[in-house]
């Protein structure tokens, strides 16, 4: 039976890639997939061969939103940032998303909704229309659970009452990784499924698809969100400079993916190539070490490439993710303020110890052994 599946995404650049583990299998199984998301994702929907309908706004790109969130992060730390962004801003934008989705889904009712776990507007719209819902863990699942009772649910209560719905509840989640990897206390309702990535992200460009040198290859990226937020650019650029300085002290080749900062970071060392973007999953099958901000999708890309990580978490779930991977022996974690000498020492240790690669290879086997997504067994309507 062909299903009409509505997928929703919130306005963070990497979040559609975080849903590929559901979008890809749904398309391969012959279902009709429509992405309901802000305008920033229209091109990405086309690249994946799925329909697009606009829902919500690119509110995370508004200068005032970014400046306030960045200032909270700088002054008060990551926990205060998380409470502001996910406990206040996200619920505050849920009403507009709910209205847009109710209009769309009453006109063209889907058989199934697949929504990010951090998309309360989509959860509520599915609940109002009694549609089956799968909540997709995009990496924020543990963070949302921590904030749910104290911040998120109280902020959503008035909106739920407006639509005469029961108290808000975080729905059971699908997750593209073994649950204990990221959840210190495994939740009772998280179901792991096999991870896939979009086809266009698995192909190396011609300039990268060449015979490797005898030197190890280090790949460094601090993610898309950190370089897109003007209030974080100075901090993130300084971290990139420390990473690049550390790389110059090593006998290695390196590729640094730095988004809009790339033009500011290019140097004279021919062994270090600074670019705006690369197809990360493909590159991590070539790299020997990944210096990363520790986003969920990036860490899973590293596992699928069996590439050890040096984690330097920036915000949201990232510091906790890098700490978890270090505990599992899949790499090391450093604070964002680590100096170049400390970064170089950690890189040297990771490149010189095969135990990290062996641990990553074992993790890749565990990841690939997860069950495939089964869309023939739909959840009960909300």
């Amino acid at each position: 039976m062909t299903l009409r599946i509505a997928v929703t995404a919130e306005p963070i650049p990497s979040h559609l890639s975080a849903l590929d583990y559901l979008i890809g299998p749904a398309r391969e199984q012959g279902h009709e997939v429509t992405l309901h998301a802000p305008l920033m994702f229209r091109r990405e929907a086309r690249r994946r061969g799925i329909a697009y309908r606009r829902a919500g706004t690119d509110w995370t790109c508004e200068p005032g939103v970014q400046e306030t969130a960045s200032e909270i992060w700088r002054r008060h730390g990551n926990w205060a940032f998380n409470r502001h962004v996910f406990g206040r801003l996200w619920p505050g934008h849920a009403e507009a998303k709910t209205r847009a989705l109710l209009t769309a889904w009453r006109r063209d009712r889907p058989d199934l909704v697949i929504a990010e776990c951090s998309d309360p507007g989509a959860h509520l719209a599915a609940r109002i229309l009694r549609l089956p819902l799968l909540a997709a863990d995009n990496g924020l699942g543990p963070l949302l659970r921590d904030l749910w009772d104290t911040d998120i649910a109280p902020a959503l209560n008035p909106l739920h009452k407006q639509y005469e719905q029961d108290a808000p509840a975080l729905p059971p989640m699908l997750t593209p990784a073994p649950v204990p990897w990221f959840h210190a206390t495994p939740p009772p309702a998280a179901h792991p499924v096999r991870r896939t990535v979009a086809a266009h992200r698995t192909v190396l460009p011609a300039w990268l698809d060449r015979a490797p040198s005898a030197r190890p290859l280090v790949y460094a990226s601090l993610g898309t969100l950190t370089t897109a937020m003007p209030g974080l650019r100075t901090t993130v650029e300084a971290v990139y400079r420390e990473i690049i300085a550390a790389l110059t002290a090593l006998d290695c080749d390196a590729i640094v993916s730095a988004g809009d900062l790339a033009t500011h970071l290019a140097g004279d060392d021919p062994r270090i190539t600074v670019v705006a973007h690369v197809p990360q999953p493909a590159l991590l099958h070539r790299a020997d070490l990944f210096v990363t901000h520790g986003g969920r999708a990036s860490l899973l890309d590293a596992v699928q490439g069996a590439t050890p990580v040096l984690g330097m978490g920036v915000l949201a779930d990232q510091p906790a993710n890098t700490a978890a991977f270090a505990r599992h022996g899949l790499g090391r974690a450093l604070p964002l303020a680590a100096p170049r000498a400390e970064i170089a020492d950690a890189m040297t240790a990771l490149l010189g110890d095969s135990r990290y690669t062996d641990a990553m290879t074992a993790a890749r086997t565990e990841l690939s052994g997860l069950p495939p997504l089964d869309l023939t067994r739909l959840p009960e309507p909300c």
Side-chain angles (χ1 to χ4, degrees):
M1 179 180 70
T2 299
L3 300 175
R4 293 192 300 177
I5 299 175
V7 178
T8 77
E10 288 286 82
I12 297 293
S14 62
H15 276 208
L16 190 57
S17 296
L19 294 174
D20 280 333
Y21 73 100
L22 302 174
I23 293 172
R27 288 196 66 239
E28 290 168 4
Q29 294 169 28
H31 302 298
E32 298 176 9
V33 181
T34 299
L35 176 68
H36 298 262
L39 193 58
M40 66 165 63
F41 291 125
R42 181 169 61 181
R43 179 172 177 269
E44 291 300 313
R46 185 165 60 246
R47 295 177 73 175
R48 288 162 173 80
I50 60 178
Y52 171 80
R53 298 289 182 272
R54 186 172 182 176
T57 65
D58 297 339
W59 61 267
T60 58
C61 300
E62 295 172 6
V65 170
Q66 294 186 346
E67 289 168 9
T68 300
S70 300
E71 188 64 17
I72 289 172
W73 181 82
R74 286 195 300 263
R75 285 179 174 269
H76 305 292
N78 193 45
W79 181 245
F81 170 90
N82 289 340
R83 291 191 68 180
H84 173 73
V85 173
F86 303 108
R88 181 177 175 184
L89 293 183
W90 240 264
H93 283 81
E95 182 174 2
K97 188 74 170 287
T98 299
R99 288 199 308 267
L101 293 175
L102 286 174
T103 299
W105 293 345
R106 281 171 174 150
R107 183 177 60 245
D108 189 10
R109 186 180 179 91
D111 301 305
L112 172 67
V113 173
I114 297 177
E116 288 189 282
C117 62
S118 56
D119 192 346
H123 299 173
L124 179 56
R127 190 172 181 176
I128 293 167
L129 297 176
R130 294 195 54 76
L131 296 170
L133 169 68
L134 293 175
D137 189 355
N138 54 12
L140 297 175
L143 187 155
L144 296 178
R145 283 175 53 83
D146 289 344
L147 290 171
W148 190 262
D149 292 334
T150 57
D151 295 79
I152 300 174
L156 290 172
N157 258 320
L159 181 59
H160 276 242
K161 289 180 180 179
Q162 177 183 328
Y163 284 98
E164 300 180 341
Q165 298 297 309
D166 293 336
L170 189 62
M173 286 182 286
L174 296 177
T175 183
V179 174
W181 284 12
F182 296 99
H183 292 265
T185 303
H191 179 65
V193 295
R194 189 171 301 164
R195 183 177 194 255
T196 60
V197 298
H200 69 271
R201 302 182 68 230
T202 64
V203 179
L204 283 173
W207 68 271
L208 272 174
D209 194 10
R210 57 180 184 241
S213 74
R215 294 186 294 267
L217 175 62
V218 178
Y219 167 54
S221 173
L222 298 179
T224 54
L225 178 60
T226 57
T227 56
M229 294 180 66
L232 290 178
R233 286 175 68 90
T234 301
T235 299
V236 174
E237 183 174 347
V239 178
Y240 270 120
R241 292 193 184 281
E242 292 299 296
I243 291 171
I244 291 171
L247 288 168
T248 62
L250 273 63
D251 183 23
C252 70
D253 293 323
I255 296 171
V256 178
S257 176
D260 293 341
L261 291 173
T263 55
H264 301 280
L265 296 171
D268 299 326
D269 192 328
R271 300 171 303 137
I272 301 174
T273 302
V274 182
V275 297
H277 301 287
V278 292
Q280 182 170 284
L283 181 56
L284 284 170
H285 280 81
R286 291 284 188 92
D288 300 287
L289 174 63
F290 181 23
V291 183
T292 173
H293 65 303
R296 170 80 64 91
S298 291
L299 291 175
L300 295 181
D301 286 343
V303 172
Q304 290 184 307
T307 307
V309 299
L310 173 57
M312 301 181 72
V314 182
L315 45 73
D317 58 317
Q318 299 160 12
N321 291 344
T322 57
F325 260 47
R327 287 196 303 270
H328 284 85
L330 303 175
R332 292 192 175 191
L334 289 177
L336 197 61
R340 61 190 65 180
E342 190 174 351
I343 297 171
D345 287 345
M347 290 179 183
T348 301
L350 286 161
L351 289 169
D353 192 337
S354 63
R355 289 179 299 177
Y356 293 107
T357 302
D358 293 342
M360 268 295 191
T361 301
R364 179 173 62 183
T365 299
E366 184 179 0
L367 187 66
S368 64
L370 295 178
L373 176 67
D374 184 1
L375 290 172
T376 64
R377 302 175 62 183
L378 294 183
E380 292 296 321
C382 296

